[in-house]
Amino acid sequence: MSLQQIDTMIDFAIAQVSDTPDGYRAVVRELAKRWPDVTGAQIVFVLVSSAHAIERVFETTPEPRTEVQQTFRVAALLASDLFALQKRGNFAPSGRDLTAYWRENDPFFLTL
């Protein structure tokens, strides 16, 4: 994955969590769908980077931003799915693998 692709994904994630209600939940599904060949770990990195970027913009605000908290939360939930897939023998699941896993086992990221 190139740095340009990472930046594109981070920009997409920032827009998704900032501009749409419940965007923090949909962003995981949309990242996996738009970039099916990236690994789940790369998606976690994009989510954490996005949350951090938003946090930096609003660092003078006294209370934590909801979209930052929720983006960190879904990054942690995604990491749990990655762990479950590792236990099944898939040590580098892609966005495509995650989508299949969610369809079969855990539809949290697929439902709104």
Side-chain angles (χ1 to χ4, degrees), residues 12-69:
F12 172 81
I14 290 169
Q16 183 85 26
V17 300
S18 299
D19 294 341
T20 59
D22 211 24
Y24 60 89
R25 189 170 174 179
V27 70
V28 179
R29 175 188 64 244
E30 292 303 316
L31 286 167
K33 180 179 170 184
R34 289 176 184 248
W35 290 279
D37 296 322
V38 303
T39 67
Q42 291 168 321
I43 295 173
V44 169
F45 175 79
V46 165
L47 291 168
V48 170
S49 297
S50 302
H52 179 68
I54 295 167
E55 194 172 48
R56 295 276 319 250
V57 168
F58 296 101
E59 65 187 353
T60 58
T61 307
E63 64 275 344
R65 305 277 304 177
T66 300
E67 61 264 40
V68 170
Q69 293 174 322

Side-chain angles (χ1 to χ4, degrees), residues 24 34 43 64 67 77 81 89 91 100 102 110:
Y24 60 89
R34 289 176 184 248
I43 295 173
E67 61 264 40
L77 291 172
D81 289 345
F91 293 97
W102 296 329
L110 298 178

